[in-house]
Amino acid sequence: MIRTILTALTIGLYLIVTYPVQLFLRATRGTHKERNDRIASRMIRGVLRIMIRIAGIRLTVTGKENIPDEPVLYVGNHRSYFDIVTTYVAIDTVCGYVAKIEMGRFPIFNKWMELLNCLLLDRSDIKQGLKTILSGIEQVKNGISIFIFPEGTRSQTDEMLEFKEGSMKIADKSGCAIIPVAIKGTDNVWEKHVPFIRPAEVHIHFGEPIYPKQLSRDEKKFLGASVRDRIQKTLDEME
């Protein structure tokens, strides 16, 4: 229970203490966006590393050599809220996440999401969902990587849910590479014993890049399923 309390206190204190910095970054973002993006990313990575230590997560990251030096679309399996915590720390560059629209309802926190180039997706509104995908394409074209969980929600079992094919359009339309990301062990931190946070081994592997423009039309049609299969193969190898 102590880890749960300390994690919650860390988040709360961070949002309060850094609020003046957040206001400054938002006020100057129009003229110093790249600089402010880097500052916001470093700040968030710092507090997330503290959360990882408090939670007792032993994080192993492999495959970073597969990430090209350019904006990409990270595609990962989704088992836990700690998927975002651990992958954000594992990525060295500015990266925005596609998150469910409900995450934008929390005051102060939602402004940090904006500073971190996160995109909010309303899965019940097709038109709004399309706008989110188009925003993701623009983000990539402007040099910002995007991380998406194409299952749409957290899987409650060891079996991945089907990937939404539409989520691959960010890479298809922008021309960026897709990096399959296999995440294992995050649900052992919290989801398997809510409300307690417990120490766990977490392994993240970045797979080899996939370039949609190099694929045939048929391969593009089922790109989500193909990426899912790659991630599943990596997860099986982790066993």
Side-chain angles (χ1 to χ4, degrees), residues 83-181:
D83 293 337
I84 297 175
V85 174
T86 52
T87 55
Y88 201 91
V89 167
I91 297 170
D92 299 324
T93 58
V94 175
C95 180
Y97 282 67
V98 177
K100 58 184 180 181
I101 197 167
E102 290 82 1
M103 298 296 290
R105 296 173 182 170
F106 300 100
I108 303 180
F109 179 77
N110 56 8
K111 297 303 180 183
W112 271 113
M113 293 182 70
E114 181 182 330
L115 284 170
L116 296 171
N117 299 286
C118 292
L119 303 171
L120 299 177
L121 178 64
D122 185 351
R123 290 169 292 181
S124 64
D125 188 332
I126 296 177
K127 184 178 292 186
Q128 192 278 335
L130 177 60
K131 288 182 179 180
T132 299
I133 297 300
L134 291 175
S135 296
I137 294 169
E138 285 303 310
Q139 296 276 53
V140 171
K141 288 182 177 179
N142 290 328
I144 298 169
S145 294
I146 296 294
F147 201 120
I148 193 167
F149 300 102
E151 292 168 274
T153 187
R154 289 177 291 115
S155 174
Q156 305 298 316
T157 69
D158 290 336
E159 186 72 20
M160 273 191 292
L161 303 175
E162 295 300 317
F163 279 16
K164 305 292 191 298
E165 292 291 340
S167 58
M168 302 296 124
K169 291 188 180 296
I170 292 177
D172 186 24
K173 300 301 182 181
S174 69
C176 75
I178 295 172
I179 302 295
V181 186

Side-chain angles (χ1 to χ4, degrees), residues 204-223:
I204 296 172
H205 179 76
F206 296 98
E208 294 183 0
I210 302 169
Y211 291 91
K213 287 190 174 181
Q214 297 177 4
L215 303 177
S216 66
R217 181 175 297 179
D218 288 340
E219 287 174 319
K220 285 184 181 180
K221 187 176 180 180
F222 301 104
L223 183 54

Side-chain angles (χ1 to χ4, degrees), residues 33-46:
K33 186 178 185 303
E34 289 188 15
R35 181 202 67 182
N36 290 7
D37 283 350
R38 291 193 299 270
I39 292 173
S41 295
R42 286 198 297 267
M43 290 179 65
I44 293 299
R45 285 195 181 94

